[in-house]
Each structure stands twice: as structure tokens, then as C-alpha cells.
Amino acid sequence: QKEVEQNSGPLSVPEGAIASLNCTYSDRGSQSFFWYRQYSGKSPELIMFIYSNGDKEDGRFTAQLNKASQYVSLLIRDSQPSDSATYLCAVNNRLAFGKGNQVVVIP
Amino acid sequence: EAGVTQFPSHSVIEKGQTVTLRCDPISGHDNLYWYRRVMGKEIKFLLHFVKESKQDESGMPNNRFLAERTGGTYSTLKVQPAELEDSGVYFCASSQGPHSYYGYTFGSGTRLTVV
């Protein structure tokens, strides 16, 4: 079983819509959860982190954590073409990464 | 503030050769990490330095990989001898504290191709 799973294929959303990404993790003792964005050919950059159950909002981004179900999600509201990238879920201080979800925002 | 700098950005070497990758973390960041992404796979942790000490090297794939951080500033990752499966993008990241409460700052990576 992989430490972090991101199973969805590429996600295409129209501009202005909500993009929803999901991630599950295997270690029930995990404490810290991160979403990174990676543009093609660039390095990952941190966009959100969450430690407590519930929602955390930062601008157009909302991270949701459910430790009982071992999943963390990312919502991107009012999606913009500039949001087109690969979004990586990572867990814990060592950063166990998922494979990432590619998001394409269609103008 | 300068970011995390990695050199070279690309390297193409033949199987059996040696390659050394370098990472300059953000000044003052005691924590330095190496990660690798093989094509089609997840980014994988390799090792973690706190200053010049290896805090966790459990992700190093085998003894062909040697990481050093003499003086606790920049770090090098040497692959000797390189094999085809070592091809991928090697990322370095640094952070100020021992925990990732502030997230890591990643370098732009070194793309290594072994032919």
C-alpha cells in the first residue's frame, strides 16, 4: 500500500469553476498534510498546509482534512488558467508525496 | 533572499560514470533534504541533513549514492557508478526549523539522464 495515493487522472475544469482534488494516506498516525503545486518543469511550491480536522481556507484554496477517514482534499474556487499545474499531496515532515493530479483550467 | 540553488540544472552521463549534484540551501536553513522523482513515479525522499549531520538517510536507494554536507552549508549528492535507473529529477529543499510548519522551499532540480 502506498503511503499517499492520488488516484484521479487529469482534471479539466472550465474557468471559474471549482476544482476538487483528493488524497488518501496510509499512516493513521500522520500529523501534517501539505498541498504543493508544480508547474511543468518547475519545482514544487507549497500552497497549503493543514494539521487539524476540518477546513482551512486561504484565498481561493480550501484544504479539508478528515483523519478518521484518512483523506485530505483541496478545493480551488474560481479556477483560473494560471491554476493549471500538477498538484501534489504530501504527508508528514519527511514529505511522502502522492503522484500528483494534473489540473487543466479551460478558458 | 536567494532561494535554494541547484547545480547543474541538467546532466547527461554514461552508465558507469560519476556525477555530483550540488545544492545551496537558503542561508540560515539548517535543514536540508534531497528528493528524487523518477519519471512516472512519486517524488521520493532520499535523506535529511540537520547542519552537517545526517538526520535520516533511510531513503537512499543503495551505496552508490553518497551525500555530504561539510560545514553545514551546501550539500553534494554523488552517484558512483551511475546506472540507467538513476535517471530522474533530483530536488533539494531546505527549511528553517526541524518541522515543516513553514513548508520546505524546493530548488528547481537537477535533471539527470544516464545513457
Side-chain angles (χ1 to χ4, degrees), chain A residues 2 4 97-100, chain B residues 36-38 40-44:
Chain A
K2 290 181 184 282
V4 181
F97 280 95
K99 289 183 70 173
Chain B
R36 176 175 73 170
R37 185 167 199 167
V38 173
K41 303 287 188 181
E42 303 88 348
I43 297 174
K44 289 286 194 182

Side-chain angles (χ1 to χ4, degrees), chain B residues 54-73:
Chain B
K54 292 177 186 175
Q55 186 78 7
D56 180 355
E57 55 182 328
S58 59
M60 294 287 265
N62 52 61
N63 59 10
R64 294 186 294 103
F65 289 75
L66 175 64
E68 294 180 322
R69 193 182 181 196
T70 305
T73 54

Side-chain angles (χ1 to χ4, degrees), chain B residues 11 13-14 19 22 32 39 41 51-52 55 58 63 65 68-69 73 79-80 83 86 94 106-107 110 115:
Chain B
S11 180
I13 62 171
E14 292 184 352
V19 63
R22 172 169 169 149
L32 186 150
M39 190 169 62
K41 303 287 188 181
K51 296 185 180 179
E52 68 274 12
Q55 186 78 7
S58 59
N63 59 10
F65 289 75
E68 294 180 322
R69 193 182 181 196
T73 54
V79 185
Q80 180 183 30
E83 298 289 345
D86 301 332
S94 72
F106 279 83
T110 293
V115 297

